[in-house]
Amino acid sequence: MSRVLLVGAVLTLAVAGCGEDTPMEPEGSGPVTVEINQGPVTLDALGSSTQLTATVKDGAGNVVEQPLTWSALGQGVVSVTAAGLVTATGNGSETVSVATMGSNGASLEVTVSQVSVSLDLTAPVTQFSIVGQTTTLVPVALDANDNPVTSASSFTFESANPATIFVDGQGTVTANGSGAVDVSASSGGLTATLNFRTTFSGPQGTAILGGTIPCSGGMAVAFPCDRIDLVSYLPMSGLGGDIAAGDLLNDMWGWIDPATSKEYALVGLTDGVSFVDLSDPESPRALGFLAAAAAPTSWRDIKVFQNHAYIVADASPGHGIQIFDLTRLRNVSLFTTFSEDGRYTAVGSVHNLVVNEEAGFAFAVGSGGAGNTCGGGLHMLDLANPGMPTFAGCYSDPSIGRQLTGYTHDAHCVVYAGPDPDHAGREICFGANETAVSIVDVTNKGAPIGISTATYPDVQYAHQGWLSQDHRYFFQNDELDELFGIVANTRLLVWDVIDLDDPILVTQYSGPTGAIDHNMYVVGDFLYHSNYHFGLRVVDVSTPTAPAEAGFFDTHPVDDASGFSGSWSNYPFFGSGIVAVTSAEEGLFILRRQP
């Protein structure tokens, strides 16, 4: 008589006889063992599988054939078939075991750690219809089997053109302008791109805001703000420009039709001027476009006298001064391609144009190329016949300017009504001349008189300035001091010109950001200052020696860095109280300061 006992993993044969049991080892004595043929296994995608195998050996180390049973702990990381096919079902680690009769079995660790091999990017909305409309990106990292990788949670986002489509660090996408733009999400060296398109409805592409959007909680739709409301916004497409073709906005001016009291914005673009009807400021409408007289350029300037617009362009040889009769804008119903009404060609390229409406004279400054450049100083024009300006004289001071020719970058010319009795009633120009500010008596165009010049600490580029209402103070900006890191924040310089022969710098006021300052104008107690990346900044100058922030509207919400994108200029002289603001990539903003 005999029986088989399984003790642990040792197969033992017992024989009965002679009144006692005598143990006997089977052939190949020793325990049966199982060895898994693979080492620790890692799977990098859900749904990926690997076939496990095992070898059974008897006590002598001989391979024997025995049925195997495979199993897992059931922790949701893998599944395993009875034949040993392991499939990844979740991230983590799990023990897979194999057993056979007469053996303690064996086990190994299987780790599932998804690896991202691609990104998928979607959004609830990819076509916008109004400015300020938002949506949220949904980026998903995928493994090799297109399963979402749940551990990939860190993404960075970028817009190919933030001026048109802006995306923040959380993936919120905002429509700022009109056009088609790619927005990308990146993670772990992988990138996915989604195209967004903005097509604004309304006359000539006007963005329909549904009425004024108050600045509330520091925002007006997509734009940071403080005490300034967004009345309306006209994107590049609505102005007759094409940002995809390189169009950008630059300078601007305004016109109030004396016959109808309608207000108009005259907006400079890279390749011409757009004329915008603001009679309904909540729904501005571009009436037409006047193409440039010469090569496209980043610098265009416009001024108005007696219903005529005078348009100049820098770095555009042969452009001269275009003349356009603004009364042609009356009763325009369809977008029109206009032609100029005349052109003054005694100058070529011109950086800026200054008009003293009270005296009836214009001053071309920063002239270059062919023609009488006056050293880049004041090229004076008599506007007695607005449609046919005539040359009236030159002025330049060769002791100032970067090339020592008397180059004038910009100026404010007035019939002086300030506190200095020596110059009362004289026509005086206050100039920004790159290296200094200048004060010139131009009453006699044939014999202008330099009154004084002055410089200031850390001058980089005396760019532009404007007088206080009472002609007592001259507010001036320096365009390059922020860019070169000379000052940390936007610098406003305030000159006391109570004595025109001795201007005194009385204060240097720093703004809230490091944005570069550009054109500024004074209306009453407020200075309206275009600060490129920061947009429009309003400063209370009721106490000129102690300016104070009075609000802002950030037309370029991407950043507030020292660069040349964003707000170039503004026009705050409309009787209705609106302020028109150009922003290079974004378009034309119509704003209103809160009471």
Side-chain angles (χ1 to χ4, degrees):
M1 177 179 178
S2 66
R3 65 178 184 270
V4 177
L5 300 176
L6 291 176
V7 181
V10 178
L11 178 64
T12 304
L13 179 64
V15 180
C18 302
E20 62 180 3
D21 292 334
T22 303
M24 296 182 63
E25 294 292 337
E27 183 180 356
S29 62
V32 173
T33 59
V34 180
E35 297 175 356
I36 298 176
N37 299 330
Q38 291 78 24
V41 172
T42 298
L43 300 174
D44 60 10
L46 301 186
S48 292
S49 299
T50 187
Q51 178 66 55
L52 300 180
T53 60
T55 301
V56 182
K57 295 180 180 180
D58 62 18
N62 300 309
V63 176
V64 296
E65 295 292 334
Q66 282 191 204
L68 299 171
T69 301
W70 295 86
S71 63
L73 294 180
Q75 295 175 331
V77 176
V78 297
S79 64
V80 60
T81 67
L85 182 67
V86 177
T87 302
T89 58
N91 286 284
S93 295
E94 188 165 349
T95 300
V96 174
S97 301
V98 62
T100 187
M101 185 173 59
S103 169
N104 282 333
S107 63
L108 87 164
E109 195 82 359
V110 178
T111 299
V112 178
S113 179
Q114 285 177 283
V115 173
S116 302
V117 298
S118 64
L119 297 183
D120 181 58
L121 187 60
T122 59
V125 175
T126 57
Q127 178 127 353
F128 296 125
S129 58
I130 61 172
V131 66
Q133 187 175 352
T134 63
T135 191
T136 301
L137 292 173
V138 183
V140 179
L142 302 174
D143 63 21
N145 294 324
D146 291 333
N147 297 297
V149 179
T150 56
S151 61
S153 58
S154 178
F155 294 91
T156 58
F157 304 98
E158 184 177 4
S159 169
N161 183 0
T164 299
I165 297 292
F166 176 69
V167 61
D168 65 15
Q170 287 70 51
T172 299
V173 179
T174 303
N176 281 347
S178 185
V181 176
D182 285 338
V183 176
S184 63
S186 300
S187 178
L190 302 172
T191 299
T193 300
L194 189 62
N195 185 261
F196 287 85
R197 181 173 293 276
T198 60
T199 52
F200 299 115
S201 58
Q204 298 302 327
T206 300
I208 299 174
L209 299 176
T212 297
I213 297 178
C215 175
S216 177
M219 297 291 289
V221 289
F223 304 100
C225 58
D226 175 29
R227 291 170 282 178
I228 298 178
D229 298 332
L230 175 60
V231 178
S232 60
Y233 166 69
L234 193 62
M236 185 73 72
S237 62
L239 294 164
D242 183 359
I243 196 167
D247 269 350
L248 296 172
L249 270 63
N250 42 67
D251 219 327
M252 69 162 298
W253 203 246
W255 175 56
I256 303 171
D257 187 342
T260 64
S261 296
K262 277 188 176 184
E263 297 174 341
Y264 297 83
L266 318 180
V267 182
L269 285 84
T270 303
D271 57 355
V273 175
S274 183
F275 302 94
V276 182
D277 182 347
L278 300 177
S279 54
D280 179 359
E282 292 188 343
S283 184
R285 184 170 69 96
L287 302 178
F289 188 80
L290 172 64
T297 179
S298 299
W299 297 277
R300 199 170 304 282
D301 192 43
I302 310 150
K303 293 297 187 295
V304 170
F305 179 72
Q306 290 189 358
N307 303 332
H308 286 76
Y310 302 90
I311 305 156
V312 298
D314 198 358
S316 184
H319 186 281
I321 302 175
Q322 286 182 297
I323 303 167
F324 180 77
D325 184 348
L326 293 166
T327 63
R328 294 170 60 188
L329 300 179
R330 296 168 180 165
N331 304 314
V332 173
S333 57
L334 298 177
F335 190 84
T336 302
T337 300
F338 292 111
S339 58
E340 63 189 37
D341 292 295
R343 187 143 55 100
Y344 178 84
T345 58
V347 288
S349 64
V350 177
H351 189 79
N352 274 311
L353 188 70
V354 181
V355 169
N356 181 359
E357 293 188 62
E358 186 176 359
F361 283 88
F363 305 83
V365 297
S367 301
N372 188 351
T373 66
C374 298
L378 304 176
H379 179 108
M380 296 179 258
L381 299 172
D382 187 340
L383 302 181
N385 181 347
M388 296 182 64
T390 56
F391 176 71
C394 266
Y395 177 82
S396 63
D397 179 351
S399 70
I400 55 178
R402 286 184 163 184
Q403 303 300 318
L404 298 180
T405 64
Y407 178 95
T408 299
H409 190 79
D410 209 338
H412 186 197
C413 299
V414 299
V415 175
Y416 182 70
D420 188 342
D422 295 339
H423 303 282
R426 307 290 291 179
E427 187 174 9
I428 307 294
C429 287
F430 295 77
N433 298 67
E434 297 184 313
T435 60
V437 296
S438 65
I439 302 176
V440 183
D441 185 332
V442 294
T443 308
N444 182 346
K445 305 301 184 294
I449 303 169
I451 298 173
S452 61
T453 61
T455 189
Y456 52 92
D458 298 319
V459 59
Q460 296 299 305
Y461 199 91
H463 170 266
Q464 184 255 357
W466 207 258
L467 286 165
S468 60
Q469 293 286 113
D470 61 2
H471 294 181
R472 165 71 186 270
Y473 295 92
F474 182 63
F475 303 98
Q476 179 240 324
N477 54 53
D478 185 307
E479 188 176 15
L480 300 181
D481 50 358
E482 297 88 6
L483 181 68
F484 295 153
I486 303 301
V487 296
N489 284 11
T490 310
R491 178 169 61 160
L492 172 65
L493 300 113
V494 182
W495 296 87
D496 186 342
V497 290
I498 190 171
D499 180 356
L500 299 189
D501 297 276
D502 185 23
I504 298 173
L505 182 64
V506 291
T507 192
Q508 299 183 65
Y509 177 69
S510 294
T513 75
I516 295 173
D517 41 352
H518 209 238
N519 290 359
M520 61 182 176
Y521 306 99
V522 176
V523 178
D525 291 335
F526 295 95
L527 182 147
Y528 295 82
H529 203 177
S530 284
N531 280 193
Y532 280 126
H533 282 220
F534 190 49
L536 177 72
R537 172 180 164 218
V538 180
V539 181
D540 185 339
V541 291
S542 55
T543 303
T545 56
E549 298 298 313
F552 71 85
F553 191 94
D554 191 349
T555 65
H556 185 80
V558 180
D559 59 56
D560 296 328
S562 295
F564 297 103
S565 300
S567 180
W568 181 294
S569 195
N570 67 87
Y571 186 82
F573 302 110
F574 291 119
S576 64
I578 61 174
V579 182
V581 180
T582 56
S583 197
E585 298 93 342
E586 291 80 10
L588 177 69
F589 293 80
I590 309 303
L591 309 175
R592 190 186 301 273
R593 187 173 57 83
Q594 294 177 354

